[in-house]
Amino acid sequence: MTDDPDLRASDADRDRVAAVLSEALATGRLTSVEHTDRLDLAYTAKTVGELVPLTRDLPEVSASNVPVAIERQKIDSKFSKIVRKGRWVASRNTKLTARFGALIIDLSDAVLPGREITIETNAWFSKLIVRVPDNAHVIDEGGSTFGKRNVTGGSHADGPLIRVTGRSVFSKVIVSRGKDDWNLH
């Protein structure tokens, strides 16, 4: 990061801070609550000056130690039902795969790593549901064969861009802001 505190922070600056915070959580320097609070502040920071206090009391982490989970994550459901909701850290590229099961992902309270994320939705004989934040702009680049694909599109709010890709076969894929078609239990 640069020494100019008034300079706008980039996604790379935020990711470096997230790496330091993740390492601090893993080594016991931060509690999970402190980690979540600081991570949320890091990804909403507008300037470099807002990022500096978040890691001032923590040791530096080399670039080779940046967690892969920030960039890529896989969630897989086979003959099962998986629900991920509440406060959790999503990745820039998340691959969701459901085979003969159900996969329900709620991003409305998740910490999103940057202004743009890609969700790859692959489903076979399954139900795959993704709830996005109310202010998200959603772009659907996926397809379906013998199934239902219902992706609620854009928002004009200043929220994150969520790009939805992938294919579904004999499956139901829903990406929405509401809970009316959800089974979160």
Side-chain angles (χ1 to χ4, degrees):
M1 282 190 294
T2 180
D3 292 331
D4 183 1
D6 296 326
L7 190 65
R8 297 286 290 196
S10 69
D11 285 342
D13 294 333
R14 292 180 193 92
D15 288 347
R16 279 191 289 279
V17 169
V20 173
L21 296 174
S22 294
E23 182 66 22
L25 176 66
T27 59
R29 295 179 194 274
L30 290 177
T31 66
S32 60
V33 172
E34 290 172 315
H35 175 262
T36 300
D37 291 344
R38 289 187 189 196
L39 196 60
D40 192 31
L41 290 171
Y43 282 119
T44 57
K46 298 216 183 311
T47 65
V48 172
E50 293 174 48
L51 292 173
V52 171
L54 301 176
T55 59
R56 183 174 283 138
D57 60 342
L58 301 171
E60 279 295 318
V61 174
S62 68
S64 62
N65 289 339
V66 173
V68 174
I70 289 174
E71 285 301 318
R72 192 164 306 287
Q73 185 175 157
K74 292 180 183 179
I75 303 171
D76 196 10
S77 171
K78 293 178 186 161
F79 298 98
S80 302
K81 177 180 180 181
I82 294 178
V83 177
R84 180 158 304 170
K85 62 181 180 174
R87 190 88 167 155
W88 62 286
V89 180
S91 297
R92 233 180 255 293
N93 297 289
T94 301
K95 183 176 183 176
L96 305 176
T97 304
R99 290 185 179 98
F100 300 97
L103 185 53
I104 301 170
I105 304 297
D106 189 347
L107 295 172
S108 61
D109 291 326
V111 177
L112 303 179
R115 301 291 298 156
E116 181 175 339
I117 66 170
T118 300
I119 306 288
E120 182 181 341
T121 58
N122 296 307
W124 294 272
F125 302 94
S126 299
K127 178 165 91 171
L128 201 155
I129 299 173
V130 179
R131 180 177 182 207
V132 298
D134 290 334
N135 65 345
H137 179 71
V138 180
I139 298 174
D140 184 18
E141 297 176 343
S144 180
T145 304
F146 297 110
K148 177 180 180 181
R149 186 174 183 91
N150 183 5
V151 178
T152 303
S155 166
H156 296 293
D158 187 32
L161 172 65
I162 299 177
R163 189 174 307 277
V164 181
T165 65
R167 304 241 3 116
S168 62
V169 179
F170 294 103
S171 295
K172 181 178 188 179
V173 175
I174 298 173
V175 179
S176 71
R177 290 170 179 79
K179 283 189 176 182
D180 52 337
D181 194 16
W182 286 50
N183 183 6
L184 290 173
H185 304 290

